[in-house]
Amino acid sequence: MVPNSGTLGQRDTTLTTGEEHKDNHNSGGIDDADGTNPSGHLPADVATSELRSLRCTKVTKIGTWNVRGMNIGKLDTINKEMNRLNIDILGVSEVHWTGNGFFNSGDHTMYFSGNSKTRQHGVGFVLYKKISKCVESYQTMSDRVITIRIKAKLNNITLLQIYAPTADAEEDEIEQFYAEIQGAIEETPRADVVYILGDFNAKIGERAEADIVGKFGLGERNEAGDRLVQFCQEQHMRLTNTWFQQPRRRLYT
């Protein structure tokens, strides 16, 4: 979905970057245009107590997409695309909702974390219903970071969906963003497989580097790219999408 925009993982597991730029608790108001939000969502403690039962045992297909604003029509499109591409878990950035929670939408469940006051940023996960039954917990860190933990065979899986500040952001904002990711990782059990998905608003470049960056990046690395590579070095992760060759037209968000 965003080949050069989205997935980090542990080097022995993955990260991606953003290069350039019917039981529905909230069926009525997921529309950016009218300024409303899903209503009646359940709090996290209720959600986790209801969903803590099953363990996923099959191969799961994971994707990420910068949706740049979510409304009813776009959510329907996402559900259809997930079905068409057999995607079980989709991380989404720039949802542009306020508050946080989760709700059902057809065969999918969406978890989201937005700004408390303004309709900026916002991140979330859309899970196919069978996968949502394997969710042990989720955590809304901020409007830029959300985590979800999936009970799986052998090792549980923790996923982070992120939306990084742009290159013109203040240094304090960028440091806070990486501190939130660091905090989420530190709270994750050591045995979990960890994936970081989303839009890092970073340009990694075409230069391969150690066991972190593959040879299928794009352009020249910028300062945000340097910061991201440094983060990967510290966390023993690799920029997964730079390890697979794709047509150049697919290397942008």
Side-chain angles (χ1 to χ4, degrees):
M1 289 257 185
V2 266
N4 258 329
S5 265
T7 322
L8 291 186
Q10 295 166 340
R11 230 173 290 168
D12 14 342
T13 69
T14 324
L15 175 69
T16 43
T17 66
E19 301 228 42
E20 328 284 353
H21 280 350
K22 285 247 197 94
D23 175 29
N24 193 333
H25 299 296
N26 323 277
S27 58
I30 317 164
D31 197 332
D32 230 8
D34 63 10
T36 59
N37 242 44
S39 59
H41 58 260
L42 301 178
D45 56 345
V46 176
T48 55
S49 65
E50 288 183 351
L51 300 175
R52 194 177 296 157
S53 56
L54 302 182
R55 185 177 297 275
C56 293
T57 58
K58 295 183 179 180
V59 174
T60 300
K61 194 171 183 181
I62 303 171
T64 182
W65 195 351
N66 188 326
V67 296
R68 301 192 177 187
M70 181 86 85
N71 54 35
I72 290 286
K74 187 167 289 187
L75 183 58
D76 289 342
T77 298
I78 286 173
N79 291 343
K80 291 175 182 176
E81 285 298 292
M82 290 180 67
N83 289 335
R84 183 178 69 86
L85 298 170
N86 296 318
I87 292 176
D88 302 295
I89 301 173
L90 180 68
V92 288
S93 300
E94 287 203 81
V95 175
H96 296 173
W97 290 345
T98 57
N100 58 75
F102 81 102
F103 62 94
N104 296 326
S105 175
D107 289 338
H108 297 84
T109 301
M110 180 161 186
Y111 301 80
F112 66 97
S113 180
N115 192 292
S116 61
K117 298 179 180 178
T118 64
R119 304 178 67 78
Q120 292 181 315
H121 315 145
V123 287
F125 285 103
V126 185
L127 276 64
Y128 185 58
K129 61 181 179 182
K130 290 183 178 180
I131 301 298
S132 66
K133 294 178 181 178
C134 303
V135 172
E136 185 189 55
S137 61
Y138 76 99
Q139 185 174 5
T140 54
M141 306 286 293
S142 70
D143 59 353
R144 292 191 180 276
V145 181
I146 185 173
T147 74
I148 196 163
R149 190 170 190 237
I150 309 292
K151 295 183 70 174
K153 188 176 181 179
L154 299 181
N155 296 89
N156 292 336
I157 301 171
T158 292
L159 301 106
L160 286 72
Q161 174 67 23
I162 64 86
Y163 176 61
T166 56
D168 59 355
E170 296 291 334
E171 183 64 25
D172 288 348
E173 184 179 4
I174 296 173
E175 289 299 322
Q176 180 181 349
F177 165 73
Y178 275 100
E180 288 176 353
I181 299 178
Q182 178 67 35
I185 292 175
E186 289 176 354
E187 293 178 11
T188 300
R190 293 180 63 87
D192 281 21
V193 176
V194 178
Y195 291 90
I196 306 179
L197 318 171
D199 189 344
F200 276 85
N201 279 310
K203 196 171 182 179
I204 299 303
E206 299 179 356
R207 184 178 77 251
E209 185 166 335
D211 196 25
I212 299 171
V213 182
K215 62 180 181 180
F216 300 113
L218 185 68
E220 296 292 328
R221 184 177 302 174
N222 60 9
E223 186 174 345
D226 287 333
R227 181 68 181 83
L228 180 55
V229 171
Q230 177 187 346
F231 173 79
C232 290
Q233 291 172 332
E234 294 169 351
Q235 298 300 323
H236 306 289
M237 300 184 110
R238 62 159 57 103
L239 287 152
T240 309
N241 56 324
T242 64
W243 291 82
F244 302 95
Q245 186 171 18
Q246 302 189 62
R248 294 188 69 83
R249 68 181 183 277
R250 296 185 180 275
L251 294 181
Y252 291 89
T253 320

